[in-house]
Amino acid sequence: MSEEKTVAERPVPRPNTYVNTQPFWDGAKEGKFMLQYCTDTDQFQFHPRPVSIFTGSRNLEWREVSGKGTIYATTVIRVPGPGIKDRIPLMAATVELDEGVRVIANILDAEPDDIKIGDKVELVWDTLDDGVPYPAFKLV
């Protein structure tokens, strides 16, 4: 009989599958939110890619971002439980960082009715399996 994974299990994504993402993971371990930066256009990009989305060049480096932003879009995901009252709400949002990049992340320590488009958020760290830190946000 095969073992079923529970929703609570969140395996760590494998770094460096298509793009060298090790700087992201190293930064997370140090509490730094690192994103790719195009040195030709002075703009951040997300998700990591092998080339700049702005120029197609490989003139990219990893830089720390502030972790401050605004909720651009939001949704509530209901994690199944044994009964409807047992369903755990998971708040997810597209956050537009002050640096101009949009990322999708969880919003922690908030109820579904607390989260509105335009709300200010700041970076907090959630933990994946094996204690690996992963960026999330909280309302400010």
Side-chain angles (χ1 to χ4, degrees):
M1 199 162 164
S2 67
E3 250 183 72
E4 286 188 36
K5 285 189 174 186
T6 65
V7 175
E9 291 178 7
R10 299 184 306 169
V12 178
R14 291 190 343 237
N16 306 323
T17 301
Y18 302 104
V19 177
N20 178 15
T21 59
Q22 197 61 51
F24 173 87
W25 299 106
D26 291 344
K29 287 178 188 173
E30 297 175 12
K32 297 177 181 178
F33 191 10
M34 306 294 288
L35 297 181
Q36 281 184 322
Y37 183 81
C38 174
T39 58
D40 293 336
T41 62
D42 297 324
Q43 296 179 81
F44 285 93
Q45 68 180 24
F46 185 79
H47 298 299
R49 295 169 173 90
V51 297
S52 168
I53 60 173
F54 307 106
T55 66
S57 78
R58 294 188 180 271
N59 298 331
L60 298 169
E61 59 188 38
W62 289 85
R63 293 192 182 178
E64 184 177 7
V65 293
S66 68
K68 296 177 189 281
T70 305
I71 293 181
Y72 178 82
T74 184
T75 191
V76 177
I77 302 162
R78 303 279 177 190
V79 179
I84 199 150
K85 290 182 179 180
D86 299 318
R87 292 185 178 178
I88 301 166
L90 175 65
M91 280 65 66
T94 301
V95 173
E96 184 162 341
L97 297 175
D98 289 353
E99 290 83 2
V101 175
R102 291 182 186 153
V103 299
I104 297 174
N106 292 337
I107 305 298
L108 303 182
D109 301 325
E111 295 298 320
D113 291 339
D114 296 341
I115 302 170
K116 307 277 185 288
I117 292 171
D119 284 349
K120 297 293 183 186
V121 292
E122 66 183 9
L123 178 69
V124 292
W125 292 97
D126 198 358
T127 306
L128 299 175
D129 289 352
D130 298 329
V132 174
Y134 198 77
F137 292 87
K138 70 174 184 176
L139 297 172
V140 291

